[in-house]
Amino acid sequence: MDEKSGQKTAAVGAQDAEAVERYTGSRIVAIFEDFRDPRQEWRRLFSELFGTFLLVLVAAGGGMMGQAFPNTISRTAAVVAPGLMVMAIILFMGKVSGAHLNPAVSIAFALRGDFPWQRVPGYIVVQLAGATLAAWFLQSLVNVSASFGSNYPVASYSSSDAFLMEAVLTLGLVSVILGTASGAQNLGVFGALGVGGYIALAGLWGSPISGASMNPARTFGPDLVGADFTAYWVYIVGPLLGAAIAVGFAFILRGRGGGLAGSAAAQGALFTAAENPDQR
């Protein structure tokens, strides 16, 4: 091959490489633009449904499997397992939907300004649906009432006592979530460790009184399938009150929300919208 032929071949090769690079770059841009399309909300909703299903599968499964197989699952194991599951869910799909898994968390993020209010109803509906599917699956599989996997105030304490416990526990949970989702304390994957660890610790000391639900969806699913909504108001009002107070505390600690870091953590990487992009 002469020198001119070699130069021509090299030029063609360079053009081909440039064309491939342009095509690859355009495809990547197209994929991200596709994710930014609000019509991709179904991906986020599926993520929340699947994640809440997995959470309730473990959280309700501890009590139900313990009823089906006595002396196999301790209270310690039953309350630690949901924390580990939440940790795993945040790590593997937190970037898709924010991994709320909890109506109280979705509402807290919206109150904080990190999550659009118009997306809250959809998140809550699929969270309730995911919890219900998990409870139905467990009841069908183990032939034990889903009510054994739900949360109820212990007999020796009043519903008011359980309500206060749920409010305080959720205050701590949402404070951890909002704190690790802020620009000042953005811990990345370590946020999963903080949230999962808190759920386990809260369950260890708070579960004897109220069950340490901290999540209206987690209790709703087993209650619906087990047809027993005894004192369910505790598991709605308590977590919502605790979440609202946590939002107030977050303002005191870090100022207003709606910044890039908090919004990205709350919404995931798909079509993130920041209310106050200058805020950290």
Side-chain angles (χ1 to χ4, degrees):
M1 180 181 295
D2 57 26
E3 183 177 350
K4 290 185 177 180
S5 297
Q7 291 175 347
K8 183 177 181 180
T9 301
V12 171
Q15 291 175 353
D16 289 343
E18 185 179 349
V20 170
E21 184 177 352
R22 283 199 306 268
Y23 174 78
T24 303
S26 66
R27 288 299 303 154
I28 293 174
V29 170
I31 289 172
F32 278 101
E33 288 301 317
D34 185 50
F35 278 151
R36 289 175 62 83
D37 190 331
R39 288 174 296 180
Q40 296 297 317
E41 182 73 0
W42 68 270
R43 295 181 188 273
R44 309 178 189 97
L45 295 178
F46 177 78
S47 174
E48 286 296 306
L49 185 145
F50 183 40
T52 310
F53 173 86
L54 292 177
L55 168 60
V56 177
L57 193 68
V58 169
M64 294 174 68
M65 294 297 284
Q67 180 67 21
F69 305 97
N71 303 318
T72 57
I73 300 177
S74 66
R75 184 182 72 86
T76 299
V79 299
V80 168
L84 296 176
M85 178 59 81
V86 167
M87 188 186 306
I89 293 170
I90 292 174
L91 290 173
F92 94 82
M93 70 175 203
K95 287 292 185 181
V96 177
S97 67
H100 299 188
L101 318 177
N102 183 339
V105 172
S106 297
I107 291 173
F109 273 133
L111 287 172
R112 178 77 176 143
D114 291 331
F115 192 77
W117 275 106
Q118 64 268 26
R119 290 174 57 189
V120 171
Y123 266 48
I124 292 177
V125 168
V126 297
Q127 288 159 1
L128 296 176
T132 302
L133 287 172
W136 173 81
F137 172 79
L138 287 167
Q139 183 169 282
S140 301
L141 181 66
V142 258
N143 295 317
V144 167
S145 173
S147 60
F148 286 103
S150 191
N151 304 113
Y152 305 101
V154 70
S156 56
Y157 286 81
S158 69
S159 294
S160 297
D161 294 328
F163 159 74
L164 290 174
M165 179 63 76
E166 286 295 312
V168 170
L169 292 179
T170 310
L171 165 62
L173 172 63
V174 176
S175 293
V176 171
I177 291 171
L178 295 179
T180 56
S182 73
Q185 291 289 339
N186 196 339
L187 302 178
V189 296
F190 291 104
L193 298 176
V195 176
Y198 179 87
I199 291 173
L201 289 172
L204 285 173
W205 76 271
S207 62
I209 291 179
S210 67
S213 171
M214 302 175 281
N215 185 338
R218 179 260 178 273
T219 302
F220 173 83
D223 276 3
L224 179 63
V225 176
D228 185 357
F229 280 92
T230 301
Y232 182 59
W233 71 270
V234 167
Y235 302 97
I236 297 178
V237 183
L240 291 181
L241 176 61
I245 296 173
V247 172
F249 283 7
F251 177 79
I252 294 172
L253 293 170
R254 290 178 292 279
R256 65 175 182 167
L260 288 173
S263 297
Q267 300 174 44
L270 308 184
F271 197 59
T272 300
E275 182 178 307
N276 303 307
D278 294 332
Q279 292 290 116
R280 291 187 59 79

